[in-house]
Structure formats: structure tokens, C-alpha cells
Amino acid sequence: MLDYTPSNTLLTDRIILVTGAGDGIGKAAAKSFAAHGATVVLLGRTTAKLEAVYDEIEQAGHPQPAIYPMNLEGATPNDYENLAQVLIKNFGKLDGLLHNAGILGSLTPIEHYNVDQWYKIMQVNLNAPFLLTKACLKVMKQSTDASIIFTSANVGRTGKAYWGAYSAAYFGIEGLMQVLADELEINTKIRVNSIDPGAVQTKIRTDNYPGEDPNILPLPADIMSLYLYLIGPDSIKVSGQALTMDYKI
Ligand SMILES: NC(=O)c1ccc[n+]([C@@H]2O[C@H](COP(=O)([O-])OP(=O)(O)OC[C@H]3O[C@@H](n4cnc5c(N)ncnc54)[C@H](OP(=O)(O)O)[C@@H]3O)[C@@H](O)[C@H]2O)c1
């Protein structure tokens, strides 16, 4: 586990967009970023969940967040451009982008893999992060130092039987992260990294490990140190890295 204690004001005046902010790790990240001073833009597909996170952040007295409902499965390149325009108009910059929304589908051998499920997972887990990043780069360049975090998984670094599109999409994410980090190294102040959060007690995990006692797993709130480190300025020199929760500074 990362031994990192951020200051309470780590993210003061920073604007950070979190996808899949209504549940699980994204919800914990949004609340944690807000608790450290950020204005968080909550993006997700279930408005009621985003509203609940909004209320929790507001009631805790943290900077007022914003809600941006969006279903990444059906979103078009134009939708992402519109989002970038809204960010420019309302905030003038974007300091952090956490790509966290993801779906898994059912574990199936490739021979029998459902083609519609393959397309859907590729759209949400790989194409959406590409389109959102592409649209947001201009507004991220307005930041003094900006951070992009892609979410990955262990099966996005070593292939494993039956993990199909989920595994292939995260291999794509790791490639996208490396290409982007290399492109942005010169002449920009944008760093790009990926996180494998490890096994965490959320819906995606419990749905796929029905026999596992969820209480042996960390809660999303327990793994926030690495997210805070990467999204905040203490990681200013870290880019192009594929990190896991056992990462040490
Ligand atoms: N938990 C683990 O053990 C683990 C391990 C490795 C990697 N990960 C990755 O960590 C990330 C977060 O997962 P989690 O564990 O927090 O799972 P989760 O609780 O199921 O959260 C996934 C989030 O993604 C959102 N989402 C899914 N499809 C979407 C779409 N089409 N448009 C917009 N938002 C969408 C969900 O929204 P709704 O709530 O509205 O459905 C939810 O907020 C995922 O990328 C996952 O692959 C998790």
C-alpha cells in the first residue's frame, strides 16, 4: 500500500473530472478529491447516484461539485466536444481527469464470446476514455500542471482466460497511456499514468466473485492514497507509469 499522506489542501482550486463518479471507486475518489479542496465534476450514467454524491460533498462543506450525466456507451465525439466546451466556459481549465467508469460483462472463452458484449465493453472501457481525453486536452493545457489517470486492471497487463474484452480493452488503455505520456512529455505540463486498483469491495468485484467474502477486500476509501498522489502536484514528475496499489514513492 502506498505510504503517502497528502496535505488537506492538496487540491485547492483544482478542477477534476471523475467518470463513473456515482458508485464504487469513482465515488470514493470524487469525495476524497473534494475533501482535499478540489471542485469535482461528477460524470456518470445514473443521475440519482451522482446527485447522492453531490449531496454528500456539499453536506461535508467541501467545494460545490458539478454533475454531468453521460452514458459512455452511447456518447458521440460531439458529446465529448460539448463537455469540453462546458468545462472551458464554467472553469476555464481542467487540472485532473480520472477515467474510472468501467464494465466487465460475463467471463466467457473467446470462442463463445458474445460479440455485442465485446463491442459494448470496448466502447465504455477503451473508446470512451480515448474520446474524452482527446476532447479535454485543450482545456487541460490551461492548467499549470494537469494529471490524467486511466484505470486498468491486472488482466490489462497479463492476459487471463475468460476475461475477453475487459482484458483486451485494458491492454489498449495501457497502450493509450504510454502513447499519450510520450506525446505530452515535451511542451506540455500534463502527466499521464494508469492505476490497477487491485481487488476492491465494489459491485464489479462482488458480481464476478460470488463465492468470495467481500469483507476480506479493502473498501474504495481505503485505496485513495495512490489516486490522491497521482492526481495532485506531488506526482508532477511521474508520467508514463503503470502503477498498482502496492506502488511505493
Ligand atoms: N473493484 C475491483 O476489484 C477492480 C479491480 C480492477 C479494476 N477495477 C476497475 O475500477 C473501475 C471502477 O470500478 P468499481 O470497482 O468502482 O466498480 P463499480 O462500483 O461497478 O463502478 C463502476 C462505475 O462505472 C460507471 N459506468 C459503467 N458504465 C457506464 C457508462 N456506460 N457510462 C457512464 N458510467 C458508467 C457505473 O455507473 P452506474 O453506477 O450508474 O452503473 C459506476 O459508477 C472500473 O474501471 C473497473 O474495471 C476494479
Side-chain angles (χ1 to χ4, degrees):
M1 202 72 73
L2 177 70
D3 185 16
Y4 171 65
T5 309
S7 86
N8 291 340
T9 55
L10 178 79
L11 303 174
T12 301
D13 295 331
R14 291 192 177 235
I15 314 297
I16 300 175
L17 173 63
V18 178
T19 72
D23 214 336
I25 296 169
K27 175 180 178 176
K31 286 168 58 181
S32 182
F33 295 164
H36 289 81
T39 297
V40 186
V41 181
L42 309 167
L43 187 151
R45 68 178 164 183
T46 310
T47 305
K49 287 187 181 182
L50 301 176
E51 285 171 349
V53 179
Y54 180 104
D55 289 346
E56 281 189 49
I57 290 173
E58 203 178 40
Q59 277 157 22
H62 303 319
Q64 186 182 28
I67 290 181
Y68 203 92
M70 192 181 213
N71 187 336
L72 300 178
E73 195 187 328
T76 66
N78 250 350
D79 294 329
Y80 293 100
E81 292 300 333
N82 290 341
L83 166 58
Q85 287 308 316
V86 169
L87 293 171
I88 290 266
K89 193 165 163 229
N90 285 275
F91 305 111
K93 64 166 187 169
L94 183 65
D95 304 293
L97 173 54
L98 171 58
H99 295 287
N100 162 82
I103 51 172
L104 172 52
S106 54
L107 303 187
T108 317
I110 293 294
E111 187 178 0
H112 303 294
Y113 207 87
N114 180 290
V115 174
D116 288 341
Q117 174 175 291
W118 181 279
Y119 288 145
K120 192 170 160 178
I121 293 172
M122 284 294 169
Q123 193 61 22
V124 175
N125 294 16
L126 177 59
N127 295 338
F130 156 67
L131 290 165
L132 179 57
T133 304
K134 181 177 184 294
C136 284
L137 282 178
K138 206 169 175 184
V139 61
M140 295 197 88
K141 286 181 180 168
Q142 306 308 311
S143 168
T144 49
D145 70 278
S147 172
I148 300 173
I149 303 174
F150 290 103
T151 300
S152 183
N154 61 346
V155 295
R157 295 171 184 170
T158 307
K160 199 171 162 194
Y162 316 132
W163 286 75
Y166 184 81
S167 179
Y170 283 149
F171 267 90
I173 282 292
E174 298 290 358
L176 173 61
M177 180 277 286
Q178 290 183 15
V179 168
L180 201 54
D182 203 34
E183 285 178 6
L184 297 177
E185 191 185 355
I186 298 168
N187 295 331
T188 83
K189 300 229 169 69
I190 306 176
R191 58 196 179 280
V192 191
N193 297 284
S194 67
I195 293 181
D196 164 14
V200 185
Q201 201 185 122
T202 65
K203 190 171 180 321
I204 218 170
R205 177 80 191 184
T206 49
D207 281 357
N208 285 281
Y209 290 82
E212 181 179 71
D213 174 4
N215 296 316
I216 63 168
L217 302 176
L219 291 165
D222 299 332
I223 63 157
M224 283 302 120
S225 55
L226 183 54
Y227 287 80
L228 285 164
Y229 172 65
L230 281 185
I231 209 75
D234 289 332
S235 61
I236 205 156
K237 295 204 169 84
V238 180
S239 193
Q241 302 298 309
L243 304 174
T244 56
M245 266 313 294
D246 56 9
Y247 176 71
K248 302 264 183 290
I249 294 177

